[in-house]
Amino acid sequence: MEIQLWREILAPYQLAVDELVVKFNHIIRESRTRGTYSPIERVEGRVKDLSSILNKMQKKDVNMNDLEEKIKDIAGIRIICQFVEDIYRVVEIIDDRSDMRILEKKDYIKNVKNTGYRSFHLIVEYEVNTLNGPKKLPAEIQIRTLAMDFWATVEHSLHYKYQHHIPEYIQDKLINASNAIIVLDQEMSAVRDEILDAQNSFRIKANLVSDILHSLQNLYKVGNRREVLKIQEEFYKVYEQDDIELLTHFGHQLDMIAEGHGAQSLQ
Ligand code: 0O2
């Protein structure tokens, strides 16, 4: 088939990948704006490259007419989480969305593959709009922890090196590494609450500081310059004390001063 035709076939998949990456990144942004923990750490997306599509078609004996129905990972999204619990939270979030519909679920965390591979896989149906109108496409979403991702990336590259015939002694080491990662994920889950607390207070502080600086900037536009510089000095002193309660109190007081100067609604 001509390359140009392949480009046309793959274009809606690229659109699906681009849109999905934006949407999942938005979940991270939305959580952080609210000062809450994001179950998604990072998102990646890719359209399967042409040689991999051709290999899969050959392997599964799929012809061109069945391509869209039988090869479901042409659009691929990978969601990386910090903890195993977050993976199941992400599945719930996707399940609740109205812009994608889950067609298949595969839990390779509860049912680890023989290779040692662990991840949660979803096939979703997603609609894109092209010049030819709306088009529903399948997309594969792989959800895994940072540790699972490390293992899968290394193991995947070994498949390339050994053309899918990884020597047995290396396979054994990979299984050992996979088992070690199960333990690592469990240990990290055991201190998850502690880690979340630390990350949350960091984020709350960052949001508070950003709001305070924004208010100071607005006050600077409408208020007395010397007064604003004095407040700024005070802010530095409060900031140095590294106490969220003091910072919150300072923020409230600043809000009242800003309100008095009609500076709150300024952008
Ligand atoms: P690539 O190069 O990553 O795209 P399918 O083959 O997808 O139609 P299957 O076999 O049921 O059907 O799919 P499965 O098991 O859900 O796996 C699909 C994808 O998961 C693979 O895509 C890999 O990305 C990943 N995967 C599955 N098993 C392993 C494994 O043992 N090691 C690693 N590193 N990744 C795995 P592709 O097309 O094989 O490869």
Side-chain angles (χ1 to χ4, degrees), residues 44 50 61 63 73 80 82 121 141 143 148 172 174 184 192 198 215 230 251 257-258:
E44 296 159 7
L50 203 45
D61 198 18
N63 62 42
D73 66 341
I80 312 298
Q82 295 190 47
H121 288 195
I141 305 180
I143 316 168
M148 292 174 195
D172 289 346
L174 286 168
L184 173 67
R192 181 171 183 263
S215 295
K230 233 173 98 191
I257 298 172

Side-chain angles (χ1 to χ4, degrees), residues 6-48:
W6 271 110
R7 284 211 183 102
E8 279 171 37
I9 292 172
L10 297 184
Y13 289 94
Q14 186 62 58
L15 179 58
V17 167
D18 292 346
E19 288 186 9
L20 286 165
V21 168
V22 166
K23 288 180 176 188
F24 287 119
N25 269 321
H26 191 73
I27 293 176
I28 304 179
R29 196 166 310 131
E30 217 181 324
S31 308
R32 292 192 177 152
T33 310
R34 287 185 194 179
T36 55
Y37 172 76
S38 167
I40 300 177
E41 176 65 19
R42 197 173 75 225
V43 184
E44 296 159 7
R46 64 99 183 98
V47 171
K48 207 173 181 66

Side-chain angles (χ1 to χ4, degrees), residues 48 56 60 106 108 113 115 117 121 142 152 155-156:
K48 207 173 181 66
K56 205 161 203 170
K60 297 190 152 199
K106 283 188 200 163
Y108 296 128
K113 280 198 155 190
T115 52
Y117 178 76
H121 288 195
Q142 298 181 345
E155 198 256 10
H156 197 266

